[in-house]
Amino acid sequence: MKLAARVENVTKTYDLGPALLEQPLGGSKQDLNYAPMNADHGRILVRALRGVSLDFPEGDFVAIMGASGSGKSTLLNLLGGLDRPSTGKYILDGIDVSQMSDAELSHVRNQKLGFIFQSYNLIPQYTVLENIEVPLHYRLGYPAIGPKEQARCLAMAQKVGLGERLDHRPFQLSGGQQQRVAIARALVNDPEIILADEPTGNLDSSTSNEIMEMLKSLNQEGRTIIMVTHEPDIANWARRQIVMRDGVVFKEVLTEEVLARHGGVLSVH
Amino acid sequence: MSISRLVRIVQLGLKSLMLHKLRSGLTMLGIVFGVFSVIAMLAIGEGASAQAQKQIVALGATNIIIRSVKPVEGSSTDQNAAGSARYGLTRTDFKRLQKTISTITNAIPVRELPREARYLKKAMNCRLVGCTADYQDVNHLKINKGRFISDADQDTRANVVVLAHEVAMELFPVEEPLGKAIQIDSIFYTVIGVTNERTASAGIGGSLAAQDYNKDLYVPINTFRSRIGDEIFIPKQRGMDSEYLELSQITLTVREAKDVLRTADVVRGTIERFHTQKDFAVVVPLELLKQADQLRQIFNIVLGSIAAISLVVGGIGIMNIMLATVTERTREIGIRRALGAKQRDIIEQFLTETVVLSGTGGFLGIGLGLLTPITFRTIRWFTLNFILDTRPGQLSETSRMFSEMEPAVAIWSLPLAFGISVGIGIIFGLYPARAAARLDPIEALRHV
């Protein structure tokens, strides 16, 4: 099976600057391996990811779970090409993107990735249609937005059920509608992977289900979806669930197994 | 960059600016006034220099003026038998110049002396000028009544005089001056003409004293020589000092303007050869014109720079607002970056906004600048009226200059001011734009 993405032994360390004198200096190597935050050569380092290897086959639907500080957001940022790993490789669609320049990485984000955020992140002064258009503005070579592109934006809006509200601005839409605009926007450049960061975090349960239905149908169309969530109900929509803890993969299970073994709830701890 | 992309990014800039109309408008105002003041300052500078040039042209661009200069006291002066100081241009110089230099079309000998003119009980200190008929044309004197000195007057050494405007007003406030006789020293001269009022020529570059033509008495130079002579006695504490001077000035007219500078060199050489002391000065109005041109450029640069400071202040205003905008739109920047915008795209977006802002401001400033002459005239009308109301009849020399000056908007200052305003937009927009582009996309997305 073709891999949409592959993460090989990735680490991510944040340097928070020089340590204060009260901080323990130069702790043993073993300490460093266990503590997510420690001091090294007088600097505070946060080891957010400490060697993560994952494969994402094409057409996969994965939920990444974990408590806050477990490294799940850092992993999503790396997968989304918003950040680069400290060590290790990130192979997206057969290409190693872990050492790419900012401009190259921007192009990868534009062409191969679609983002859905918890807080929708629409541009407030833009209409629905204009928001869906935004990724088209940053294509390689900046081709003009012609009738073909406009038709595609319209098609995407209709696909998410907003064909009637093209001229509305984000503040005129409900949360669920805004998230649907974000989904349309994520799809407009026909990306390899859709990354969703707590896509239902700001929505009530019925709207959440609508959004998840939509993601599920996108997955059934063959799109790879990687979603971060801390809600087990939402995670159960995915095919596979990965639990992060202390910067490493703690558990990796299929949803079928979870539903069978844990009565529908995967224990995070 | 393709046109469609340019249009798109300008539209985007306009859209963002229109979100905060008042803020954008106020920011733009700084540039509007900056550009306006650059254009206005340059227009006023141009106007002032045009006025100076007009005065120099009045001296005659094809003229060369040679004046006698009294050598510095103590230096070796030629002494004649009577012991009087002898210096200055001579009639021989005049004939030599007239005969030897072919580019000279006209030469006028002039002898001047300060003298008192009397008529009945009225007296006035005047400048007695011995000259020829051509003096009138060369100095652009206009005759109000009667006629100017003629060649016949020269030949007959007639005792005739032409009065300048102010002299005529002073000596003949009510009477008709023509035909009357005025007294200079002990000799009477018949008034044959009166000139029109003529504005004084400015003293330019320090080499030519300002000349007030309104206190002149013109007599034929031959009459001058016969009646007054070359030797002048000046009373001193003990006895008399005497001066021997044949001509005060020679005015030469050159056929073509391009020959003026070369002719002036030859004139200098010709006179120098026969003078043992430095007792003459050659004034070339054309040179003065060139000096005035240089002066005008300096003047323009100074005025323009002062105005440019206000443009810089406008630029700082833009930078301030753009920095605030970047902070305010951090989230938007994060979204765009996540959706594939490169750092360069963000720089271009914010830079376009500042350039649209400063460019529009520059455009409005040019519009306002074009109204400078009208604005200037209105202000002048109010100020002059105010002066006349509060202190009637006290229009000073400065305010007279002020009242005659016409600001001229220099066409070249329009693209210049516009270019500077756009340049300011780029310079002051670059920092906020770079600040925006360098935001970490993850941090920017998290920004509330």
Side-chain angles (χ1 to χ4, degrees):
Chain A
M1 190 180 234
K2 199 188 165 211
L3 284 182
R6 181 192 178 91
V7 169
E8 283 179 21
N9 199 23
V10 155
T11 69
K12 181 70 192 178
T13 307
Y14 294 108
D15 187 342
L16 296 187
L20 298 174
L21 283 176
E22 289 84 351
Q23 300 280 344
L25 288 173
S28 73
K29 241 195 160 101
Q30 233 180 352
D31 286 345
L32 290 178
N33 278 332
Y34 284 97
M37 183 187 283
N38 215 315
D40 194 4
H41 302 291
R43 302 187 74 81
I44 297 179
L45 301 177
V46 178
R47 293 165 204 281
L49 293 179
R50 300 184 295 140
V52 175
S53 296
L54 288 167
D55 281 353
F56 299 96
E58 222 166 54
D60 202 358
F61 190 173
V62 186
I64 299 174
M65 304 184 66
S68 62
S70 63
K72 64 180 192 303
S73 293
T74 308
L75 182 61
L76 192 76
N77 287 338
L78 289 177
L79 290 172
L82 291 167
D83 211 345
R84 272 161 285 206
S86 303
T87 64
K89 271 188 185 171
Y90 173 32
I91 294 152
L92 181 62
D93 197 22
I95 304 158
D96 184 3
V97 301
S98 44
Q99 300 308 322
M100 275 187 169
S101 72
D102 179 81
E104 290 169 317
L105 212 50
S106 300
H107 180 60
V108 166
R109 284 199 296 272
N110 184 241
Q111 288 297 310
K112 308 210 163 176
L113 300 167
F115 287 90
I116 301 166
F117 303 95
Q118 177 177 3
S119 46
Y120 330 124
N121 278 342
L122 302 177
I123 296 177
Q125 65 265 35
Y126 282 10
T127 62
V128 167
L129 207 54
E130 284 167 337
N131 263 297
I132 297 172
E133 246 179 35
V134 172
L136 297 175
H137 291 191
Y138 300 113
R139 288 175 300 169
L140 198 66
Y142 308 103
I145 293 179
K148 202 182 94 200
E149 282 84 355
Q150 279 165 351
R152 177 157 178 83
C153 293
L154 196 63
M156 288 301 126
Q158 280 159 351
K159 187 181 174 120
V160 297
L162 287 169
E164 309 293 304
R165 297 179 180 268
L166 298 176
D167 293 330
H168 285 54
R169 286 172 206 277
F171 67 88
Q172 295 166 311
L173 301 175
S174 71
Q177 286 169 328
Q178 289 191 49
Q179 196 60 297
R180 282 193 265 161
V181 177
I183 292 171
R185 182 178 67 181
L187 291 173
V188 79
N189 265 341
D190 196 15
E192 209 61 40
I193 299 176
I194 291 173
L195 293 163
D197 187 2
E198 308 260 13
T200 58
N202 285 2
L203 300 173
D204 60 51
S205 56
S206 72
T207 324
S208 292
N209 287 340
E210 274 175 34
I211 295 295
M212 290 318 295
E213 286 286 0
M214 198 167 277
L215 288 180
K216 193 166 179 74
S217 72
L218 287 174
N219 178 242
Q220 277 159 359
E221 283 172 21
R223 289 181 200 278
T224 316
I225 298 174
I226 302 173
M227 170 178 74
V228 162
T229 183
H230 62 267
E231 293 170 74
D233 291 353
I234 297 298
N236 284 342
W237 284 86
R239 194 182 66 81
R240 208 151 59 100
Q241 301 183 21
I242 294 167
V243 181
M244 299 286 296
R245 190 196 252 183
D246 293 341
V248 291
V249 176
F250 174 65
K251 244 187 237 173
E252 199 178 336
V253 286
L254 293 173
T255 304
E256 306 164 14
E257 298 172 17
V258 177
L259 292 174
R261 263 192 279 156
H262 303 273
V265 176
L266 172 67
S267 123
V268 172
H269 301 288
Chain B
M1 195 190 289
S2 68
I3 300 290
S4 71
R5 174 159 154 69
L6 193 69
V7 169
R8 193 198 297 161
I9 146 178
V10 169
Q11 277 174 346
L12 172 67
L14 279 174
K15 194 165 201 163
S16 306
L17 292 173
M18 290 305 273
L19 273 182
H20 303 279
K21 290 191 190 66
L22 181 65
R23 185 204 277 183
S24 303
L26 289 174
T27 311
M28 214 188 304
L29 221 50
I31 293 293
V32 171
F33 284 122
V35 167
F36 166 68
S37 57
V38 166
I39 293 172
M41 286 288 204
L42 291 177
I44 288 168
E46 284 285 307
S49 72
Q51 203 184 4
Q53 273 180 326
K54 216 160 46 180
Q55 287 177 334
I56 296 166
V57 169
L59 283 174
T62 55
N63 286 358
I64 297 170
I65 297 162
I66 313 152
R67 287 191 69 84
S68 293
V69 178
K70 194 170 183 176
V72 188
E73 201 77 35
S75 66
S76 64
T77 41
D78 289 348
Q79 303 270 315
N80 67 3
S84 58
R86 186 183 187 130
Y87 72 94
L89 301 164
T90 62
R91 277 179 288 275
T92 325
D93 287 331
F94 175 72
K95 278 175 198 142
R96 197 179 287 125
L97 291 173
Q98 203 179 21
K99 279 179 187 161
T100 54
I101 304 175
S102 59
T103 48
I104 294 173
T105 54
N106 200 357
I108 302 156
V110 180
R111 179 77 169 95
E112 302 161 358
L113 262 187
R115 276 292 179 271
E116 195 185 50
R118 294 171 170 278
Y119 178 70
L120 301 179
K121 281 184 175 173
K122 289 191 262 317
M124 185 187 183
N125 285 319
C126 302
R127 190 172 70 143
L128 183 62
V129 181
C131 56
T132 60
D134 294 331
Y135 189 87
Q136 184 198 351
D137 286 339
V138 170
N139 288 294
H140 309 286
L141 295 173
K142 299 246 161 35
I143 290 296
N144 185 289
K145 296 177 200 167
R147 63 173 176 89
F148 200 72
I149 298 159
S150 69
D151 290 340
D153 295 328
Q154 296 291 358
D155 296 341
T156 56
R157 303 181 178 224
N159 281 3
V160 289
V161 66
V162 176
L163 305 182
H165 176 77
E166 207 178 311
V167 182
M169 294 296 284
E170 187 77 25
L171 297 183
F172 301 95
V174 285
E175 279 175 89
E176 171 58 48
L178 290 185
K180 300 284 186 320
I182 61 164
Q183 187 188 4
I184 300 164
D185 289 344
S186 55
I187 300 159
F188 288 90
Y189 298 80
T190 310
V191 177
I192 54 167
V194 176
T195 67
N196 265 341
E197 190 171 6
R198 185 188 191 284
T199 43
S201 71
I204 305 126
S207 46
L208 187 68
Q211 220 170 358
D212 185 359
Y213 291 93
N214 291 322
K215 291 182 176 173
D216 283 355
L217 302 166
Y218 304 104
V219 298
I221 189 154
N222 287 346
T223 313
F224 191 109
R225 191 181 173 193
S226 305
R227 303 296 172 199
I228 296 166
D230 298 330
E231 197 162 17
I232 308 300
F233 295 94
I234 301 151
K236 267 175 59 170
Q237 266 184 323
R238 296 172 71 197
M240 285 285 206
D241 220 6
S242 73
E243 255 182 33
Y244 186 89
L245 172 64
E246 291 186 10
L247 295 175
S248 319
Q249 180 178 320
I250 299 171
T251 306
L252 303 175
T253 308
V254 180
R255 199 186 306 127
E256 279 181 83
K258 66 177 170 62
D259 295 328
V260 169
L261 295 182
R262 273 183 298 158
T263 308
D265 284 341
V266 176
V267 166
R268 239 176 241 127
T270 312
I271 304 174
E272 229 158 43
R273 189 178 294 248
F274 296 96
H275 285 240
T276 52
Q277 49 185 346
K278 185 74 183 151
D279 56 357
F280 70 95
V282 179
V283 179
V284 185
L286 195 70
E287 274 177 0
L288 296 180
L289 210 60
K290 285 184 177 159
Q291 282 173 10
D293 208 48
Q294 283 176 351
L295 201 69
R296 181 192 61 145
Q297 281 175 13
I298 294 170
F299 199 55
N300 275 349
I301 288 169
V302 170
L303 284 180
S305 311
I306 293 170
I309 290 172
S310 58
L311 258 180
V312 170
V313 173
I316 293 168
I318 286 191
M319 180 144 127
N320 198 4
I321 284 299
M322 287 315 290
L323 281 173
T325 305
V326 167
T327 312
E328 200 181 76
R329 283 159 58 190
T330 301
R331 184 79 169 254
E332 182 194 322
I333 295 162
I335 297 169
R336 287 179 186 278
R337 295 277 283 135
L339 299 180
K342 301 177 185 62
Q343 289 191 327
R344 221 191 69 194
D345 297 323
I346 301 294
I347 289 186
E348 278 172 10
Q349 181 189 342
F350 280 89
L351 214 50
T352 309
E353 274 182 41
T354 52
V355 170
V356 166
L357 208 58
S358 62
T360 315
F363 216 72
L364 295 175
I366 284 178
L368 218 55
L370 287 173
L371 299 177
T372 306
I374 297 168
T375 321
F376 183 84
R377 263 179 240 135
T378 315
I379 294 172
R380 182 174 64 196
W381 190 79
F382 278 111
T383 18
L384 287 185
N385 273 7
F386 177 75
I387 294 173
L388 289 175
D389 284 349
T390 47
R391 288 178 296 167
Q394 288 212 1
L395 219 53
S396 67
E397 194 61 29
T398 330
S399 45
R400 193 188 299 164
M401 270 185 72
F402 178 57
S403 68
E404 281 166 10
M405 200 183 99
E406 281 303 327
V409 175
I411 295 301
W412 55 265
S413 73
L414 305 183
L416 177 84
F418 186 74
I420 292 177
S421 67
V422 170
I424 290 249
I426 293 175
I427 292 167
F428 287 95
L430 212 53
Y431 177 73
R434 280 171 65 96
R438 286 183 170 186
L439 288 171
D440 176 13
I442 299 167
E443 292 291 325
L445 277 169
R446 218 174 279 157
H447 194 271
V448 216

PDB file of all heavy atoms in Angstrom, chain A residues 113-116 132 135 181-191 193-195, chain B residues 339:
ATOM      1  N   LEU A 113      -1.149  19.674   1.584  1.00  0.00           N
ATOM      2  CA  LEU A 113      -1.785  19.605   2.891  1.00  0.00           C
ATOM      3  C   LEU A 113      -2.983  20.534   2.943  1.00  0.00           C
ATOM      4  O   LEU A 113      -2.985  21.617   2.366  1.00  0.00           O
ATOM      5  CB  LEU A 113      -0.783  20.010   3.987  1.00  0.00           C
ATOM      6  CG  LEU A 113       0.476  19.133   4.077  1.00  0.00           C
ATOM      7  CD1 LEU A 113       1.509  19.803   4.964  1.00  0.00           C
ATOM      8  CD2 LEU A 113       0.132  17.758   4.614  1.00  0.00           C
ATOM      9  N   GLY A 114      -4.002  20.059   3.654  1.00  0.00           N
ATOM     10  CA  GLY A 114      -5.160  20.912   3.894  1.00  0.00           C
ATOM     11  C   GLY A 114      -5.378  20.989   5.396  1.00  0.00           C
ATOM     12  O   GLY A 114      -5.286  19.974   6.092  1.00  0.00           O
ATOM     13  N   PHE A 115      -5.616  22.214   5.900  1.00  0.00           N
ATOM     14  CA  PHE A 115      -5.734  22.386   7.351  1.00  0.00           C
ATOM     15  C   PHE A 115      -7.164  22.680   7.773  1.00  0.00           C
ATOM     16  O   PHE A 115      -7.881  23.453   7.145  1.00  0.00           O
ATOM     17  CB  PHE A 115      -4.872  23.573   7.808  1.00  0.00           C
ATOM     18  CG  PHE A 115      -3.408  23.297   7.786  1.00  0.00           C
ATOM     19  CD1 PHE A 115      -2.643  23.546   6.666  1.00  0.00           C
ATOM     20  CD2 PHE A 115      -2.784  22.782   8.925  1.00  0.00           C
ATOM     21  CE1 PHE A 115      -1.291  23.292   6.654  1.00  0.00           C
ATOM     22  CE2 PHE A 115      -1.426  22.533   8.911  1.00  0.00           C
ATOM     23  CZ  PHE A 115      -0.676  22.783   7.779  1.00  0.00           C
ATOM     24  N   ILE A 116      -7.533  22.047   8.892  1.00  0.00           N
ATOM     25  CA  ILE A 116      -8.803  22.392   9.544  1.00  0.00           C
ATOM     26  C   ILE A 116      -8.455  22.648  11.015  1.00  0.00           C
ATOM     27  O   ILE A 116      -7.799  21.822  11.645  1.00  0.00           O
ATOM     28  CB  ILE A 116      -9.831  21.251   9.430  1.00  0.00           C
ATOM     29  CG1 ILE A 116     -10.096  20.936   7.941  1.00  0.00           C
ATOM     30  CG2 ILE A 116     -11.123  21.622  10.133  1.00  0.00           C
ATOM     31  CD1 ILE A 116     -10.820  19.636   7.739  1.00  0.00           C
ATOM     32  N   ILE A 132     -12.446  30.509   0.567  1.00  0.00           N
ATOM     33  CA  ILE A 132     -12.132  29.233  -0.084  1.00  0.00           C
ATOM     34  C   ILE A 132     -11.024  29.446  -1.119  1.00  0.00           C
ATOM     35  O   ILE A 132     -10.191  28.575  -1.353  1.00  0.00           O
ATOM     36  CB  ILE A 132     -13.401  28.626  -0.724  1.00  0.00           C
ATOM     37  CG1 ILE A 132     -14.429  28.322   0.370  1.00  0.00           C
ATOM     38  CG2 ILE A 132     -13.086  27.356  -1.512  1.00  0.00           C
ATOM     39  CD1 ILE A 132     -15.785  27.889  -0.148  1.00  0.00           C
ATOM     40  N   PRO A 135      -6.094  29.601  -0.678  1.00  0.00           N
ATOM     41  CA  PRO A 135      -4.949  28.743  -1.047  1.00  0.00           C
ATOM     42  C   PRO A 135      -4.582  28.848  -2.532  1.00  0.00           C
ATOM     43  O   PRO A 135      -3.417  28.668  -2.884  1.00  0.00           O
ATOM     44  CB  PRO A 135      -5.441  27.328  -0.715  1.00  0.00           C
ATOM     45  CG  PRO A 135      -6.515  27.536   0.285  1.00  0.00           C
ATOM     46  CD  PRO A 135      -7.179  28.814  -0.089  1.00  0.00           C
ATOM     47  N   VAL A 181     -16.747  25.882   5.834  1.00  0.00           N
ATOM     48  CA  VAL A 181     -15.973  26.736   4.921  1.00  0.00           C
ATOM     49  C   VAL A 181     -14.499  26.326   4.982  1.00  0.00           C
ATOM     50  O   VAL A 181     -13.821  26.190   3.958  1.00  0.00           O
ATOM     51  CB  VAL A 181     -16.116  28.234   5.283  1.00  0.00           C
ATOM     52  CG1 VAL A 181     -15.241  29.084   4.370  1.00  0.00           C
ATOM     53  CG2 VAL A 181     -17.562  28.678   5.196  1.00  0.00           C
ATOM     54  N   ALA A 182     -14.015  26.097   6.230  1.00  0.00           N
ATOM     55  CA  ALA A 182     -12.614  25.711   6.399  1.00  0.00           C
ATOM     56  C   ALA A 182     -12.334  24.391   5.680  1.00  0.00           C
ATOM     57  O   ALA A 182     -11.264  24.220   5.077  1.00  0.00           O
ATOM     58  CB  ALA A 182     -12.282  25.593   7.886  1.00  0.00           C
ATOM     59  N   ILE A 183     -13.314  23.460   5.727  1.00  0.00           N
ATOM     60  CA  ILE A 183     -13.116  22.183   5.036  1.00  0.00           C
ATOM     61  C   ILE A 183     -13.035  22.400   3.523  1.00  0.00           C
ATOM     62  O   ILE A 183     -12.158  21.873   2.839  1.00  0.00           O
ATOM     63  CB  ILE A 183     -14.238  21.192   5.403  1.00  0.00           C
ATOM     64  CG1 ILE A 183     -14.113  20.790   6.896  1.00  0.00           C
ATOM     65  CG2 ILE A 183     -14.187  19.944   4.523  1.00  0.00           C
ATOM     66  CD1 ILE A 183     -15.285  19.978   7.427  1.00  0.00           C
ATOM     67  N   ALA A 184     -13.939  23.244   3.020  1.00  0.00           N
ATOM     68  CA  ALA A 184     -13.924  23.542   1.580  1.00  0.00           C
ATOM     69  C   ALA A 184     -12.586  24.155   1.195  1.00  0.00           C
ATOM     70  O   ALA A 184     -11.993  23.837   0.162  1.00  0.00           O
ATOM     71  CB  ALA A 184     -15.058  24.494   1.229  1.00  0.00           C
ATOM     72  N   ARG A 185     -12.097  25.052   2.043  1.00  0.00           N
ATOM     73  CA  ARG A 185     -10.819  25.713   1.779  1.00  0.00           C
ATOM     74  C   ARG A 185      -9.679  24.682   1.774  1.00  0.00           C
ATOM     75  O   ARG A 185      -8.777  24.750   0.952  1.00  0.00           O
ATOM     76  CB  ARG A 185     -10.572  26.769   2.859  1.00  0.00           C
ATOM     77  CG  ARG A 185      -9.305  27.558   2.656  1.00  0.00           C
ATOM     78  CD  ARG A 185      -9.160  28.612   3.727  1.00  0.00           C
ATOM     79  NE  ARG A 185      -8.933  28.021   5.039  1.00  0.00           N
ATOM     80  CZ  ARG A 185      -8.798  28.729   6.157  1.00  0.00           C
ATOM     81  NH1 ARG A 185      -8.899  30.038   6.136  1.00  0.00           N
ATOM     82  NH2 ARG A 185      -8.586  28.122   7.310  1.00  0.00           N
ATOM     83  N   ALA A 186      -9.751  23.726   2.718  1.00  0.00           N
ATOM     84  CA  ALA A 186      -8.701  22.720   2.802  1.00  0.00           C
ATOM     85  C   ALA A 186      -8.687  21.843   1.555  1.00  0.00           C
ATOM     86  O   ALA A 186      -7.663  21.288   1.188  1.00  0.00           O
ATOM     87  CB  ALA A 186      -8.897  21.868   4.052  1.00  0.00           C
ATOM     88  N   LEU A 187      -9.851  21.707   0.905  1.00  0.00           N
ATOM     89  CA  LEU A 187      -9.952  20.791  -0.233  1.00  0.00           C
ATOM     90  C   LEU A 187      -9.609  21.438  -1.563  1.00  0.00           C
ATOM     91  O   LEU A 187      -9.400  20.756  -2.558  1.00  0.00           O
ATOM     92  CB  LEU A 187     -11.379  20.240  -0.319  1.00  0.00           C
ATOM     93  CG  LEU A 187     -11.791  19.283   0.801  1.00  0.00           C
ATOM     94  CD1 LEU A 187     -13.275  18.961   0.681  1.00  0.00           C
ATOM     95  CD2 LEU A 187     -10.965  18.009   0.740  1.00  0.00           C
ATOM     96  N   VAL A 188      -9.559  22.770  -1.582  1.00  0.00           N
ATOM     97  CA  VAL A 188      -9.573  23.454  -2.875  1.00  0.00           C
ATOM     98  C   VAL A 188      -8.342  23.127  -3.732  1.00  0.00           C
ATOM     99  O   VAL A 188      -8.424  23.073  -4.955  1.00  0.00           O
ATOM    100  CB  VAL A 188      -9.787  24.975  -2.682  1.00  0.00           C
ATOM    101  CG1 VAL A 188      -8.509  25.676  -2.269  1.00  0.00           C
ATOM    102  CG2 VAL A 188     -10.350  25.600  -3.956  1.00  0.00           C
ATOM    103  N   ASN A 189      -7.205  22.879  -3.089  1.00  0.00           N
ATOM    104  CA  ASN A 189      -6.006  22.541  -3.875  1.00  0.00           C
ATOM    105  C   ASN A 189      -5.804  21.025  -4.008  1.00  0.00           C
ATOM    106  O   ASN A 189      -4.735  20.576  -4.388  1.00  0.00           O
ATOM    107  CB  ASN A 189      -4.765  23.184  -3.253  1.00  0.00           C
ATOM    108  CG  ASN A 189      -4.435  24.517  -3.906  1.00  0.00           C
ATOM    109  OD1 ASN A 189      -4.891  24.781  -5.014  1.00  0.00           O
ATOM    110  ND2 ASN A 189      -3.660  25.328  -3.232  1.00  0.00           N
ATOM    111  N   ASP A 190      -6.832  20.255  -3.654  1.00  0.00           N
ATOM    112  CA  ASP A 190      -6.805  18.804  -3.772  1.00  0.00           C
ATOM    113  C   ASP A 190      -5.579  18.199  -3.079  1.00  0.00           C
ATOM    114  O   ASP A 190      -4.716  17.607  -3.725  1.00  0.00           O
ATOM    115  CB  ASP A 190      -6.811  18.410  -5.260  1.00  0.00           C
ATOM    116  CG  ASP A 190      -7.189  16.949  -5.418  1.00  0.00           C
ATOM    117  OD1 ASP A 190      -7.703  16.369  -4.439  1.00  0.00           O
ATOM    118  OD2 ASP A 190      -6.934  16.398  -6.503  1.00  0.00           O
ATOM    119  N   PRO A 191      -5.508  18.341  -1.750  1.00  0.00           N
ATOM    120  CA  PRO A 191      -4.271  17.952  -1.047  1.00  0.00           C
ATOM    121  C   PRO A 191      -4.151  16.438  -0.833  1.00  0.00           C
ATOM    122  O   PRO A 191      -5.122  15.697  -0.939  1.00  0.00           O
ATOM    123  CB  PRO A 191      -4.398  18.670   0.290  1.00  0.00           C
ATOM    124  CG  PRO A 191      -5.865  18.741   0.524  1.00  0.00           C
ATOM    125  CD  PRO A 191      -6.512  18.862  -0.807  1.00  0.00           C
ATOM    126  N   ILE A 193      -3.032  15.125   2.118  1.00  0.00           N
ATOM    127  CA  ILE A 193      -3.464  14.813   3.484  1.00  0.00           C
ATOM    128  C   ILE A 193      -4.281  15.985   4.020  1.00  0.00           C
ATOM    129  O   ILE A 193      -3.949  17.139   3.776  1.00  0.00           O
ATOM    130  CB  ILE A 193      -2.236  14.618   4.410  1.00  0.00           C
ATOM    131  CG1 ILE A 193      -1.377  13.451   3.904  1.00  0.00           C
ATOM    132  CG2 ILE A 193      -2.665  14.375   5.859  1.00  0.00           C
ATOM    133  CD1 ILE A 193      -0.111  13.255   4.701  1.00  0.00           C
ATOM    134  N   ILE A 194      -5.332  15.654   4.778  1.00  0.00           N
ATOM    135  CA  ILE A 194      -6.060  16.704   5.493  1.00  0.00           C
ATOM    136  C   ILE A 194      -5.710  16.589   6.958  1.00  0.00           C
ATOM    137  O   ILE A 194      -5.822  15.513   7.555  1.00  0.00           O
ATOM    138  CB  ILE A 194      -7.575  16.585   5.269  1.00  0.00           C
ATOM    139  CG1 ILE A 194      -7.877  16.946   3.807  1.00  0.00           C
ATOM    140  CG2 ILE A 194      -8.343  17.486   6.222  1.00  0.00           C
ATOM    141  CD1 ILE A 194      -9.301  16.717   3.417  1.00  0.00           C
ATOM    142  N   LEU A 195      -5.235  17.698   7.527  1.00  0.00           N
ATOM    143  CA  LEU A 195      -4.854  17.715   8.933  1.00  0.00           C
ATOM    144  C   LEU A 195      -5.913  18.483   9.698  1.00  0.00           C
ATOM    145  O   LEU A 195      -6.233  19.623   9.355  1.00  0.00           O
ATOM    146  CB  LEU A 195      -3.502  18.410   9.095  1.00  0.00           C
ATOM    147  CG  LEU A 195      -2.323  17.664   8.471  1.00  0.00           C
ATOM    148  CD1 LEU A 195      -1.143  18.587   8.301  1.00  0.00           C
ATOM    149  CD2 LEU A 195      -1.950  16.466   9.320  1.00  0.00           C
TER     150      LEU A 195
ATOM    151  N   LEU B 339      -1.719  28.173   4.871  1.00  0.00           N
ATOM    152  CA  LEU B 339      -2.334  27.819   3.589  1.00  0.00           C
ATOM    153  C   LEU B 339      -1.345  27.920   2.432  1.00  0.00           C
ATOM    154  O   LEU B 339      -1.738  27.766   1.284  1.00  0.00           O
ATOM    155  CB  LEU B 339      -3.547  28.697   3.328  1.00  0.00           C
ATOM    156  CG  LEU B 339      -4.673  28.568   4.363  1.00  0.00           C
ATOM    157  CD1 LEU B 339      -5.832  29.474   4.002  1.00  0.00           C
ATOM    158  CD2 LEU B 339      -5.150  27.123   4.461  1.00  0.00           C
TER     159      LEU B 339
END
